[in-house]
Amino acid sequence: MAVTIRMIAEKAGVSRGTVDRALNNRPGVNAEVAAHVRRIAKELNYEPNAVAKALAISKRKLRIDILLNSGQNPFFEKVRRGIQNGMREIRSYGITVETFELTGFSVEEQLQKIDELMQNPPNALVITPINDHRVIDRLNQIAAEDIAVVTLNMDVTGLAKLCFIGCDYVRSGQTAAELLGQITLGDISVGILTGSAHILGHQQRVNGFSQVCEQDYPRIHVRAVAETEDDNEIGYRVTKEMLENHSLDALYFCAGGIDGGIRAVKECGLEKKLKIITVDDTDNIKAYIESGIVNATVCQQPMKQGHDAVTITTDWLLHEKRPSRKHLYTQNEVKLRYNLD
Amino acid sequence: MAVTIRMIAEKAGVSRGTVDRALNNRPGVNAEVAAHVRRIAKELNYEPNAVAKALAISKRKLRIDILLNSGQNPFFEKVRRGIQNGMREIRSYGITVETFELTGFSVEEQLQKIDELMQNPPNALVITPINDHRVIDRLNQIAAEDIAVVTLNMDVTGLAKLCFIGCDYVRSGQTAAELLGQITLGDISVGILTGSAHILGHQQRVNGFSQVCEQDYPRIHVRAVAETEDDNEIGYRVTKEMLENHSLDALYFCAGGIDGGIRAVKECGLEKKLKIITVDDTDNIKAYIESGIVNATVCQQPMKQGHDAVTITTDWLLHEKRPSRKHLYTQNEVKLRYNLD
DNA sequence: CTGAAAGCGCTTACAG
DNA sequence: CTGAAAGCGCTTACAG
């Protein structure tokens, strides 16, 4: 038989309202009474009933805003689907979730959109923050106003966030290097196509990749690194340039613009010769894997990222439940032809 | 503003009790009244509030029994942890979850334990069923008594189950073969260490593996298949025999008894020479990967299996919500040194 | 500072 | 067959 506030109230000789106030540290309770109630709750091993709490709290009309720099990036389709799933799961909680999207990584645009959202402040803000001190400062202000801030897919340091939800980018790069090491023999020249040095995750993937090459596979030599700015046209151009100027055995695509890059590979007639490792599993990448152009891809559970962003934020708003860790890393999933789905 | 039964009741000119009875197909409502109520609910786009429903239903005292053939198998530790997580999540629903464990795969023992549990029948039974017609017949009887049956980690055909939760074993074997294909060149001789031909999943892994070898990598030749019966001593013995009788380049361990098998590999001094693919990521297997003895392992999200067994069964008991598919396959996760955790 | 009462949206004995 | 009322376990205006 589970312990309820009614039992605590009886044992403490106070009303249920007072128990509620004491246990939830609400103001206006005599300190001694509160202490007494808390002691009894502890003795009885009281665990609040989350369902009842959620039902009662549904009167509060809480709101979560989600701001994604998703742009044209097909990767974010799955994040969006995860968000939808999460919303369906919390439908009965009376919490409103609104999603806003930006294209590109302009600091000004992100700041402006944040200000716009703050005209009508939500109870929590989930965001893919740009790694810039102005953004970080602004978000810290928001966090100070008792609005929970959750970073999704992209992280920044020095922010008083509830948590980060996304992949461990260093590990992602390391895993890609290890894969390449296992599927090759002898001296190998590799080129890296990253997104932007200004995006922390991209940088971390490059670093993780390079580090494992040096440390575990010194026969693998990183000959060139170029930036696609997550754009297919630029991706095409820089990949083409790279392939024309270097004799490479392998490519590591660790950001957006992969479709452009693959087009360049095909144009150079190198799709049979090159070993290629990518990130994520958009429909196009799945097709490349099925046709053997790409050997493997390292994914990051985008649906889970979207889903967890909603449910973890909800758990915080309803139950003040902090996630188990500050950084909730999703699995770096290695996908090949036969475990694609 | 979400639609509630109160609104439907007002619009239909009946009481909330009657609305509840009509919408939930409970007996004792005039057919015309019921139809009217349902039409209005549909018009208003009514979605029941799951939280309120759960709170009200918590009076029912529902129970889920879980019967695992977990034996000594360290793999099941994670399944158990997943079950614990699921239980924590549904704590407020007033549903009791009890777990029972068997060692080995004796049909008689499983049948006997089932009978024992049915002395005090639960509302749902989650089970790792042995693939035997007597077990299947018994479980079908149980399902006919309005007890939801969920198969976990092991599946059988011809059972009126709510769903199966576990991996796609064929894909698991295919993925292992593809991995081996990618990390090798030229003619390769491989030996397979499986558990038992009587366990459907083991058989499916062998089949998936062999099929991809033949179809995609004809240079890979399966030279020997032996059964460990999921036991380390037998695993040691049959692996040793296999290595003494065949000149192999690679091994595929697709069931329990891996620790024994690896001991044999080491004793033969072949840990540097052989490419080895395993399944699952017990602590020992992680250690083999870190030390380079095992190249990669194909895992099946054991925590998720345990967790989902609890939450999906709960969703059925509380909301009659059927899972989206009859077979809920977990990801076949390829793990290497740098994406192990 | 505290209690009594109403409320969140369902379900369910009970009386008629 | 139907309705009024109590209940699930919390939260919260309101009155004192």
Side-chain angles (χ1 to χ4, degrees):
Chain A
M1 192 62 239
V3 180
T4 66
I5 55 165
R6 154 168 262 131
M7 293 162 149
I8 298 173
E10 282 168 9
K11 193 145 187 186
V14 298
S15 72
R16 290 182 283 153
T18 298
V19 172
D20 176 73
R21 289 175 202 115
L23 295 184
N24 294 287
N25 303 307
R26 296 189 223 285
V29 193
N30 178 303
E32 303 202 346
V33 174
H36 183 216
V37 167
R38 280 196 279 267
R39 210 172 48 72
I40 289 178
K42 185 154 217 172
E43 268 174 32
L44 295 179
N45 235 317
Y46 172 70
E47 299 273 8
N49 182 310
V51 167
K53 187 168 213 164
L55 183 59
I57 286 183
S58 64
K59 281 180 278 194
R60 282 191 202 161
K61 301 299 165 206
L62 299 166
R63 188 159 54 84
I64 301 173
D65 280 355
I66 303 182
L67 178 52
L68 303 177
N69 286 67
S70 43
Q72 325 280 11
N73 197 338
F75 166 82
F76 274 94
E77 281 170 30
K78 294 201 181 174
V79 177
R80 260 182 239 114
R81 280 177 45 203
I83 291 174
Q84 306 292 343
N85 290 349
M87 287 171 64
R88 204 168 311 132
E89 218 168 295
I90 66 157
R91 200 178 30 194
S92 320
Y93 293 73
I95 296 180
T96 313
V97 180
E98 285 196 86
T99 305
F100 305 87
E101 313 208 19
L102 292 175
T103 295
F105 296 99
S106 150
V107 173
E108 282 70 25
E109 280 183 36
Q110 187 166 65
L111 285 169
Q112 194 192 318
K113 191 71 188 176
I114 291 174
D115 284 336
E116 199 184 309
L117 296 180
M118 286 309 131
Q119 301 285 314
N120 176 13
N123 304 94
L125 175 65
V126 175
I127 189 170
T128 52
I130 300 175
N131 192 20
D132 181 279
H133 68 97
R134 286 168 292 169
V135 171
I136 296 174
D137 290 349
R138 185 73 182 91
L139 291 175
N140 270 324
Q141 272 175 29
I142 291 171
E145 289 167 31
D146 217 39
I147 297 172
V149 176
V150 170
T151 53
L152 176 61
N153 189 261
M154 292 167 56
D155 199 17
V156 292
T157 51
L159 171 60
K161 62 203 167 208
L162 178 62
C163 67
F164 163 70
I165 300 169
C167 82
D168 183 330
Y169 287 94
V170 175
R171 289 266 166 190
S172 171
Q174 291 175 323
T175 302
E178 193 189 357
L179 264 170
L180 188 61
Q182 291 227 29
I183 66 176
T184 58
L185 276 176
D187 274 314
I188 291 293
S189 293
V190 56
I192 300 178
L193 283 304
T194 183
S196 160
H198 295 113
I199 294 183
L200 192 58
H202 296 172
Q203 196 53 53
Q204 289 174 320
R205 278 185 177 141
V206 173
N207 292 345
F209 185 88
S210 306
Q211 178 231 318
V212 167
C213 288
E214 281 168 33
Q215 177 186 302
D216 298 345
Y217 299 97
R219 61 181 172 77
I220 301 183
H221 310 281
V222 176
R223 302 293 189 195
V225 180
E227 298 185 4
T228 66
E229 294 178 35
D230 268 10
D231 180 279
N232 282 318
E233 274 319 303
I234 304 178
Y236 167 76
R237 193 153 43 70
V238 296
T239 305
K240 185 124 194 195
E241 261 178 50
M242 188 183 282
L243 292 172
E244 284 167 355
N245 294 322
H246 302 268
S247 168
L248 299 176
D249 306 289
L251 291 178
Y252 172 40
F253 287 94
C254 71
I258 299 179
D259 294 332
I262 295 294
R263 185 151 59 86
V265 169
K266 283 181 180 165
E267 257 186 50
C268 297
L270 291 171
E271 67 267 36
K272 298 260 187 255
K273 185 202 164 211
L274 288 172
K275 300 284 186 185
I276 299 179
I277 311 285
T278 61
V279 292
D280 301 330
D281 57 347
T282 62
D283 288 344
N284 282 335
I285 291 178
K286 284 186 180 180
Y288 303 142
I289 289 184
E290 268 159 8
S291 63
I293 299 177
V294 167
N295 291 78
T297 189
V298 180
C299 309
Q300 51 173 317
Q301 302 190 298
M303 294 255 290
K304 184 172 162 65
Q305 289 185 20
H307 173 273
D308 288 3
V310 173
T311 56
I312 284 172
T313 307
T314 295
D315 264 350
W316 169 252
L317 292 180
L318 292 183
H319 310 299
E320 284 89 53
K321 189 189 155 215
R322 277 188 188 285
S324 52
R325 280 183 300 274
K326 199 98 184 174
H327 293 256
L328 298 175
Y329 292 125
T330 49
Q331 256 291 320
N332 281 306
E333 294 186 322
V334 172
K335 296 203 184 177
L336 316 169
R337 187 178 322 199
Y338 289 105
N339 69 339
L340 262 185
D341 26 43
Chain B
M1 192 61 238
V3 181
T4 65
I5 54 166
R6 153 168 264 131
M7 295 162 150
I8 298 174
E10 280 167 11
K11 193 147 187 182
V14 298
S15 71
R16 291 182 283 153
T18 298
V19 173
D20 176 74
R21 288 177 202 113
L23 295 184
N24 293 287
N25 303 309
R26 296 190 223 284
V29 193
N30 178 302
E32 305 202 344
V33 174
H36 184 217
V37 167
R38 279 196 280 268
R39 210 170 48 72
I40 290 179
K42 186 155 219 170
E43 268 175 32
L44 296 179
N45 234 318
Y46 172 70
E47 299 273 9
N49 182 309
V51 167
K53 187 167 212 165
L55 183 59
I57 285 182
S58 64
K59 282 180 277 198
R60 282 193 201 159
K61 301 298 163 206
L62 299 166
R63 188 159 54 84
I64 301 173
D65 279 354
I66 302 181
L67 179 52
L68 303 176
N69 287 67
S70 43
Q72 325 280 9
N73 196 338
F75 166 83
F76 274 94
E77 280 169 31
K78 294 201 181 176
V79 177
R80 260 182 239 115
R81 279 177 46 202
I83 291 173
Q84 305 293 342
N85 291 349
M87 287 171 64
R88 204 167 311 133
E89 220 169 292
I90 66 156
R91 202 180 26 197
S92 319
Y93 294 73
I95 295 180
T96 313
V97 180
E98 284 197 86
T99 305
F100 305 86
E101 313 208 21
L102 291 175
T103 295
F105 297 98
S106 151
V107 173
E108 283 70 24
E109 278 182 38
Q110 187 167 67
L111 285 170
Q112 193 191 319
K113 191 71 188 177
I114 292 173
D115 284 336
E116 199 183 310
L117 296 181
M118 286 309 131
Q119 301 286 313
N120 176 16
N123 303 94
L125 175 65
V126 175
I127 189 170
T128 52
I130 299 174
N131 191 19
D132 181 280
H133 68 96
R134 286 168 292 169
V135 171
I136 296 173
D137 290 349
R138 186 72 183 90
L139 292 176
N140 270 325
Q141 273 175 30
I142 290 171
E145 289 166 30
D146 216 38
I147 297 172
V149 176
V150 170
T151 54
L152 176 61
N153 188 260
M154 293 167 55
D155 199 17
V156 293
T157 52
L159 170 60
K161 62 203 166 210
L162 177 62
C163 68
F164 163 69
I165 300 170
C167 82
D168 182 331
Y169 286 94
V170 175
R171 289 265 165 190
S172 172
Q174 291 174 323
T175 301
E178 192 190 357
L179 264 170
L180 189 61
Q182 292 227 30
I183 66 176
T184 57
L185 276 175
D187 274 313
I188 291 293
S189 293
V190 55
I192 300 178
L193 283 303
T194 184
S196 159
H198 295 113
I199 295 183
L200 192 57
H202 295 173
Q203 196 54 54
Q204 289 174 320
R205 279 186 176 140
V206 173
N207 292 345
F209 185 89
S210 306
Q211 177 231 317
V212 167
C213 288
E214 281 167 33
Q215 178 186 304
D216 299 345
Y217 299 97
R219 62 179 171 77
I220 300 183
H221 309 281
V222 176
R223 301 294 186 193
V225 181
E227 299 186 2
T228 66
E229 296 178 34
D230 268 8
D231 180 279
N232 282 317
E233 274 320 303
I234 304 178
Y236 167 75
R237 193 154 42 71
V238 297
T239 304
K240 185 123 195 195
E241 260 178 50
M242 187 183 282
L243 292 172
E244 284 167 355
N245 294 323
H246 302 268
S247 168
L248 299 177
D249 306 290
L251 291 178
Y252 172 39
F253 286 94
C254 71
I258 299 179
D259 294 333
I262 296 294
R263 186 151 60 86
V265 170
K266 285 181 180 167
E267 257 186 48
C268 297
L270 291 169
E271 68 268 35
K272 298 263 187 249
K273 186 199 165 212
L274 290 171
K275 299 283 186 187
I276 299 179
I277 311 283
T278 62
V279 291
D280 302 330
D281 58 347
T282 61
D283 287 342
N284 282 334
I285 290 177
K286 285 186 180 181
Y288 302 144
I289 289 183
E290 268 158 8
S291 63
I293 300 176
V294 167
N295 289 78
T297 188
V298 181
C299 310
Q300 50 173 318
Q301 302 188 298
M303 293 255 289
K304 185 173 161 65
Q305 289 185 20
H307 173 273
D308 288 4
V310 172
T311 55
I312 285 171
T313 307
T314 295
D315 265 350
W316 169 252
L317 292 180
L318 293 183
H319 310 299
E320 283 90 55
K321 189 188 154 215
R322 276 189 189 285
S324 52
R325 280 184 300 275
K326 199 96 184 175
H327 292 256
L328 298 174
Y329 292 124
T330 49
Q331 256 292 317
N332 280 307
E333 293 186 322
V334 172
K335 295 203 184 178
L336 317 169
R337 188 178 321 198
Y338 290 104
N339 69 340
L340 262 185
D341 26 47

